[in-house]
Each structure stands twice: as structure tokens, then as C-alpha cells.
Amino acid sequence: MSLKGKRIILALSGSIAAYKAVYLLRLLKKAEAVVKVVTTPSVDHFVGELTLSSLSGEKVFSGLWNENWSEHVSLGTWADLMVVAPATANTLAKMANGLCDNALTAVYLAARCPVMVAPAMDADMMIHPRTQANLQTLKADGVQVLPSGTGFLASGLEGPGRLLEPEEIFEAISLRLTEGPLSGKKVLVSAGPTREALDPVRFISNRSSGKMGYALAKVASQMGAEVTLVSGPTHLDAPARVNLIPVLSAADMLEAIQTKASAQDAIVMAAAVADYTPLKVADQKIKKKTGDDMNIPLKRTLDILRTIGADKPAQQVLVGFAMETENELENAQKKLVAKNLDFVVLNSLREAGAGFGHDTNRVTLIHRNKEVQALPLMSKEAVAAAIWQEVCNILALH
Ligand code: CTP
């Protein structure tokens, strides 16, 4: 990834994790970014100024009291992006409250560019309500707060507060500074199974792992989109920068999607939504009766795609999935028309390595004009990229 000529302020505050910022600086320089380093006074305890100035090829801005008294202002207007990594609890607190008693906080207040912070601290400091409130304030001020990792901390404790790895911060910077084909677009993806409750302890569900939907959300975000992921229960972590809305039943999923649908440029329904739900949900656990078989009356759920398809704004791209075992193309084509879709992603259950639970998939895209695009067996992320590419092509025609 080239960041040639991009102007980045790399701001360090005093944490053991400051050594990772040295690696980050190397990655940024290798990508040909112009990097100016800003430090708080306590960084001296962890990384020497000579290391930072040698690697950046620029003088480090470390104190307010030098001959160039307005350097914080010129830096703040110079940069394309300011990245605070590591961001300690103390520096985050100062930033959230507008204090400017050192070079870093003064540059932050003067910055006109987007600002990103990568927190690093001990687990208890991270979960403290004050730190959490400060992070919320910063988010409300438009600062991009990168997640912290969970794991082994320098104190010997384990938990949240680990600075992200240099490569992960670099990826977030690259994404922020480079326009993707879906930049400025809002997209919604549904994923996973739904759960239809029978009683307080039982439900009907299906084998969907959510992998295809999560891959779609991840790739859309990497392509620059603002992504909402409405997901039934899965074992997967939400991809970075994706707004996850967890739901359980088909009815919950419909409600979550309906409130967001009209604002989206594209919606891809990858969820395996239950077609039927129990007619009644028992208030108490259903007891077995000796000797009797049991029947559960089911009623149809509302078809989410059909519902949003009926109200689809003219500019919106709507994509559905179909899983067929016979008359595949014909049935998929019928779905496309009935649900007012732009194209259908036909999943083949006959292929080894495709469908539920696998990391790969083989799909065929079926378009309104009956064009059929058969894709080879590939990773779900590659399938997701092909689907978004098709969405981009349609959006470009609107
Ligand atoms: N879908 C939906 N709401 C439902 C059921 C399905 O939005 N209540 C969506 C799915 O997310 C998927 C597409 O509709 O995008 C699948 O269509 P569906 O008619 O359910 O087809 P299949 O499940 O593939 O097959 P069948 O018609 O045999 O049920």
C-alpha cells in the first residue's frame, strides 16, 4: 500500500508500548509517507528522540518552549492525518477535556485534519468508567478510536488495553487516507442464522455460520463503505469499523433492517432467515408428556427482502442470496423478480467446499437482464469482493 506524499503526524504518549510506534514509523516511511513525530515529555523514558528523528528524517516536536512558538499550529494545519499511538489514559483524558499543556495536546487542539487514537494502558485503566467516558467524548468529537487488543500486558495482567500491532494501525491509516471504491457509501449486510423461540429455553435455528455475511461486511469496510452489519447469533467477531447490530429472531432482524434500510446505498441479505416461526412462544418451559408425539404449529415469517424490496429507493442496490438444489437458475431468477432485486447470489449446495460453515464458496451471480456470471470456487472474502464490485458497477450506472 503506497502512502506516497501523505502527511502524517505520529504522536506518541508515554507507554511501554511506545516501541511499537517505532515499527509503525518504519512502515509509514516504507510506504513513502512524510511523517513528523510529536511526543509528550514522558516518551523520553521509553524511546529516545534520536531514534524517532533518525527514522522519520524530521526533527521531533517534543516541547512547547522552543524558538518556533507556533509550531503546534503549523503542524496542525500541515497534516493529512494525526495518529496518536500509543494513546495513554492520561493523554486521552487531556484530549477529551481540551487541555493543552504539552506538544501533543497542543497539536491535537490545533489539528484541522482527521485524528485517530490507538489506546494503550493497563486493563483496569482501560475499563475504568472515566477512560470509557473520555473515549466516548473523543468519538463524539469525531476522533477515530481504534480498538485495543486483549491479551498479555506489560504489567503481567491480562485483559483489554494492549496497543494494536503496528501492521493493524498501519492498515487503519491506509484505509483512512486512501479512497476506496465504496468511499462515501452506506451499505447494510445481514448475516448468520435467526433463532425462533419455542419457549424460554428452546429455539429453532439453522446451520448458517455467518462467515459469508461477515466477509461481505469486512470487505465493504476495506473498500471504504460505512457498514452496518445486522447479525443473528454467530461465533464471529465483528470486523473492524463495522457497526454491528446483533439480533435473534427473523422479526428482530426485520425491525433492525427496516429502520436503517432507506438510508442505504446498497443492502446485501446474506442472512439465513427462518421462513417459519412457532405460532406461539410458551411462557414456561414446555414439559414432555409420556407416550405422546409432539407437533409444533409454525407460521410464516415476513420475507425481509421482499418487504424492503417493495419500498426500495430508486438509487438503492438490493442483493439477495438463494440456495437451490434444483432448477437453480430458473428459481433464482424468480426470486430476483419477486423481491425486486438487482441481482441474486446463487449458492450451490452441490459443490464441495461451498456453502454453510466453509471458508470458501462457489456462487453464480444472476442479473436482472438474465446475465449469468458463474464464479470459481474461492475464499468467501474473494466472493465478497466480486459481489461488491458488481454493486459498484450498478451504482456507477445510477
Ligand atoms: N430472506 C429474507 N427474509 C426471509 C427469508 C429469506 O429476507 N424471511 C432472504 C435471505 O436473506 C436470502 C433470500 O431471502 O437473501 C433467500 O430467499 P428464500 O426465498 O428464503 O430462498 P431460499 O431460502 O434460498 O429457498 P426456498 O425458496 O427454497 O426457501
Side-chain angles (χ1 to χ4, degrees), residues 14 46 78 101 114 139 144 198 208 229 272 282 292 307-308 310 327 375:
F46 303 99
W78 165 85
D101 60 348
K139 279 185 193 169
Q144 183 179 349
L198 278 165
S208 168
L229 174 61
D292 283 349
T307 312
I308 54 174
N327 298 331
L375 302 177

Side-chain angles (χ1 to χ4, degrees), residues 269 271 273-275 301-305 320-323 335 339:
M269 278 292 297
V273 188
D275 291 321
T301 55
L302 261 184
D303 190 308
I304 302 173
L305 256 184
F321 273 70
M323 191 166 268
K335 263 171 211 167
K339 303 191 188 192

Side-chain angles (χ1 to χ4, degrees), residues 139-187:
K139 279 185 193 169
D141 290 344
V143 171
Q144 183 179 349
V145 178
L146 297 181
S148 66
T150 299
F152 178 71
L153 300 166
S155 61
L157 292 176
E158 273 196 56
R162 238 174 101 94
L163 182 65
L164 285 187
E165 294 307 318
E167 293 75 15
E168 293 172 304
I169 304 174
F170 177 78
E171 201 204 319
I173 293 171
S174 307
L175 273 174
R176 188 74 196 234
L177 286 175
T178 47
E179 287 271 295
L182 286 171
S183 290
K185 301 288 181 208
K186 286 188 174 172
V187 307

Side-chain angles (χ1 to χ4, degrees), residues 88-218:
T88 59
N90 185 39
T91 288
L92 290 169
K94 287 182 183 178
M95 288 169 69
N97 290 285
L99 271 67
C100 51
D101 60 348
N102 63 37
L104 187 155
T105 47
V107 171
Y108 168 63
L109 279 191
R112 289 191 194 159
C113 59
V115 179
M116 188 185 274
V117 295
M121 64 199 74
D122 244 318
D124 296 307
M125 296 169 82
M126 187 70 192
I127 58 178
H128 194 284
R130 267 309 93 220
T131 305
Q132 289 301 315
N134 289 333
L135 289 172
Q136 288 310 323
T137 304
L138 288 170
K139 279 185 193 169
D141 290 344
V143 171
Q144 183 179 349
V145 178
L146 297 181
S148 66
T150 299
F152 178 71
L153 300 166
S155 61
L157 292 176
E158 273 196 56
R162 238 174 101 94
L163 182 65
L164 285 187
E165 294 307 318
E167 293 75 15
E168 293 172 304
I169 304 174
F170 177 78
E171 201 204 319
I173 293 171
S174 307
L175 273 174
R176 188 74 196 234
L177 286 175
T178 47
E179 287 271 295
L182 286 171
S183 290
K185 301 288 181 208
K186 286 188 174 172
V187 307
L188 185 147
V189 176
S190 72
T194 57
R195 270 186 194 173
E196 308 303 320
L198 278 165
D199 68 15
V201 294
R202 302 183 181 95
F203 56 78
I204 301 172
S205 190
N206 60 64
R207 288 183 191 279
S208 168
S209 65
K211 283 181 180 172
M212 191 61 239
Y214 277 60
L216 279 159
K218 179 178 173 185

